[in-house]
Amino acid sequence: MNFEASKEFALAQDSNDPLLGYRQKFHIPKVNDKDCIYFTGNSLGLQPTSTKKYIEEELEDWRNLGVEGHFHAKHRPWFHYHKFSKELLAQLVGAKPEEVVSMNNLTSNLHFMMVSFYRPSSSKYKIIMEAGAFPSDQYAMESQVRFHGFEPSQAIIEISPRPGEETLRTEDIVNLIEANSEELALVMMSGVQYYTGQFFNIKEITKAAHDANAMAGFDLAHAIGNVPLKLHDSGADFAVWCSYKYLNSGPGGVSGIFVHERHAKNSELPRFAGWWGHDEAQRFKMEKGFIPMKGADGWQLSNVNVLSSAAHLASLELFKEAGFSNLRAKSIKLTGYLEFLVNNLKSDEVSIITPDAIDERGCQLSIVIKNNGRMVFDELTKQGVVADWREPEVIRVAPVPLYNSFTDVYNFYSILKNMLN
Ligand SMILES: *Cc1c(COP(=O)(O)O)cnc(C)c1O
């Protein structure tokens, strides 16, 4: 595609954008009385205008029915609530519906998955993860390792980019897995790395982990709703994600898990159980003796957080309506345009660390600004750009295809250009 660094070009792209109408389905925050340029959908997605209605419907059912809402809610009976998102989530992560369920929060789910899938022995106990993983994931891995009586410095192997490089090479990840196969219990990586925006090759990493007789798990916080995923076919053992980033389901919104169907019927796997994972037909008999539901449902603990899950459904419906392949097609163009414009600045101070290959990234570009990065960022903020600053010198910018426009991208460039000149 031939891009042009002009406002006219951006406007023309917007008027030809089949998804343009979706911007109106979101509340865009204002800065200086104007729609801001919201590039932090990777951190907290914007609120769909339909969210209020979904939540109000639950408040109405609760108001009118009290406990009867569990089975007789007018809108969505709460007993079945985790089922309403299943099909839509399965499509987004490339799984069978019985392989996914929404529940809890992300870090909690990571721990619950570790209970089942990190089962170290005295000789096979190591975990490979990327260096600089999201802190919560680091804390979770370190505390899990300690919980099993190992030292993080011994048990956790972090993989870093080669000297002079910013992102990881799949071959290096695979080689490291092979080199540690004897002692390796788990490979735990991001789907999309939160800092660099790199989209890892889930299939290759999983294959290498399985060849080493280890489990493969993925944190898809920055991947779900952003990049195409094929979890089932990749063979990954488990995955977790949150819903408040690209999935626009509100701060602290309900998380989700994937458990591959090969583990679906394995009731031998240790797990921390709760009544919502217990056989649904028997659940209200309140009897002793846990019988797990088949598939991911068997990992549920608690009855569903309905208000948060209502917001989740409102947003998932928009994904369904827009179609993920359409969103991805626009995303590739939109981020391609951002990349073109940043390169067009021809500034020695500005560079992109996110991979340029389309299948190695989602919508986010991580832009390094040398010298005055923080000043540039603060000025962008003043001028209505909502982006994200990471020490020491990176601005993360994520144009989201559901509500960002080519004009947003152009205006961002234009502000940045004026500042650098
Ligand atoms: C956003 C994010 C988290 C946040 O975890 P919560 O439990 O939802 O607070 C954790 N890990 C990764 C990789 C993230 O991107």
Side-chain angles (χ1 to χ4, degrees):
M1 165 132 213
N2 288 323
F3 294 120
E4 286 170 32
S6 75
K7 185 134 198 165
E8 293 68 38
F9 177 84
L11 286 168
Q13 292 307 303
D14 284 335
S15 57
N16 287 328
D17 172 9
L19 298 174
L20 182 64
Y22 282 88
R23 185 178 171 88
Q24 268 77 55
K25 295 176 192 267
F26 287 86
H27 295 287
I28 314 281
K30 305 250 184 225
V31 174
N32 312 325
D33 291 328
K34 281 197 320 207
D35 280 359
C36 72
I37 301 175
Y38 195 80
F39 281 162
T40 37
N42 56 347
S43 186
L44 186 76
L46 290 180
Q47 183 183 138
T49 55
S50 56
T51 304
K52 189 168 188 244
K53 171 173 159 287
Y54 274 73
I55 291 182
E56 280 178 351
E57 286 171 353
E58 303 310 336
L59 292 176
E60 182 191 322
D61 278 335
W62 178 24
R63 194 162 56 232
N64 294 335
L65 297 166
V67 73
E68 295 296 322
H70 278 299
F71 291 100
H72 304 294
K74 184 170 132 208
H75 301 98
R76 295 167 288 269
W78 307 326
F79 180 80
H80 300 290
Y81 221 95
H82 59 279
K83 298 173 194 167
F84 305 137
S85 57
K86 214 174 245 302
E87 195 75 47
L88 301 170
L89 287 171
Q91 283 171 22
L92 286 177
V93 299
K96 299 186 175 182
E98 54 274 23
E99 289 175 316
V100 300
V101 72
S102 60
M103 62 180 206
N104 307 334
N105 291 84
L106 172 53
T107 308
S108 324
N109 282 338
L110 189 49
H111 278 294
F112 289 125
M113 291 292 96
M114 295 291 283
V115 167
S116 296
F117 299 106
Y118 177 56
R119 303 175 61 200
S121 71
S122 58
S123 58
K124 207 162 162 62
Y125 60 94
K126 294 198 173 170
I127 299 177
I128 287 182
M129 63 190 299
E130 83 261 18
F134 196 93
S136 201
D137 300 50
Q138 296 186 36
Y139 308 150
M141 292 305 118
E142 289 164 6
S143 58
Q144 282 284 338
V145 156
R146 285 206 179 92
F147 176 72
H148 287 282
F150 300 100
E151 266 308 307
S153 59
Q154 305 274 299
I156 297 177
I157 306 170
E158 292 187 344
I159 176 161
S160 302
R162 294 185 187 187
E165 297 186 4
E166 304 286 355
T167 52
L168 293 171
R169 300 188 190 201
T170 306
E171 57 180 295
D172 290 354
I173 303 171
V174 167
N175 287 340
L176 187 72
I177 293 172
E178 276 173 13
N180 289 280
S181 60
E182 292 284 299
E183 296 176 321
L184 193 65
L186 172 70
V187 178
M188 180 70 221
M189 303 269 295
S190 307
V192 171
Q193 222 284 337
Y194 87 100
Y195 183 80
T196 64
Q198 181 176 19
F199 178 19
F200 294 123
N201 190 325
I202 292 177
K203 192 171 181 175
E204 298 256 325
I205 293 169
T206 299
K207 185 177 178 305
H210 288 174
D211 287 347
N213 224 343
M215 295 282 184
F218 294 89
D219 186 330
L220 304 179
H222 283 260
I224 190 168
N226 178 26
V227 291
L229 295 163
K230 293 195 178 118
L231 283 185
H232 176 83
D233 291 345
S234 76
D237 294 286
F238 71 91
V240 291
W241 55 83
C242 59
S243 67
Y244 50 82
K245 290 172 179 166
Y246 295 104
L247 295 188
N248 315 313
S249 304
V254 63
S255 165
I257 62 161
F258 162 88
V259 176
H260 197 277
E261 74 174 346
R262 87 174 72 87
H263 304 296
K265 289 189 208 137
N266 185 355
S267 52
E268 302 287 293
L269 274 181
R271 71 181 91 191
F272 286 171
W275 73 323
W276 231 249
H278 181 73
D279 178 18
E280 181 180 294
Q282 316 286 328
R283 193 173 300 149
F284 285 148
K285 292 192 178 158
M286 314 303 245
E287 287 172 354
K288 227 175 150 50
F290 177 71
I291 307 165
M293 298 279 295
K294 214 181 109 206
D297 283 2
W299 271 266
Q300 295 176 96
L301 288 98
S302 295
N303 75 98
V304 176
N305 179 336
V306 166
L307 296 183
S308 156
S309 300
H312 195 30
L313 287 180
S315 175
L316 289 176
E317 282 298 329
L318 292 177
F319 275 87
K320 180 174 152 193
E321 207 183 290
F324 187 76
S325 56
N326 299 326
L327 288 167
R328 175 66 173 167
K330 175 176 171 184
S331 176
I332 289 171
K333 260 200 210 172
L334 200 58
T335 294
Y337 191 43
L338 175 63
E339 178 181 43
F340 166 81
L341 291 175
V342 170
N343 290 335
N344 198 63
L345 290 167
K346 301 191 178 71
S347 161
D348 294 339
E349 299 190 1
V350 181
S351 59
I352 297 170
I353 60 175
T354 308
D356 50 17
I358 279 155
D359 58 359
E360 288 179 38
R361 71 181 186 202
C363 72
Q364 171 187 327
L365 293 184
S366 303
I367 303 170
V368 170
I369 309 217
K370 291 257 181 263
N371 307 327
N372 298 318
R374 181 74 219 197
M375 243 172 63
V376 170
F377 177 76
D378 290 343
E379 187 57 29
L380 283 166
T381 308
K382 265 194 217 142
Q383 300 206 31
V385 176
V386 182
D388 173 280
W389 170 255
R390 292 286 137 159
E391 293 294 336
E393 53 183 11
V394 166
I395 298 179
R396 297 187 305 157
V397 180
V400 166
L402 267 172
Y403 47 75
N404 284 123
S405 63
F406 290 86
T407 307
D408 281 341
V409 171
Y410 181 79
N411 288 343
F412 167 78
Y413 157 78
S414 170
I415 296 169
L416 193 57
K417 186 161 183 255
N418 282 335
M419 227 181 295
L420 294 169
N421 282 340

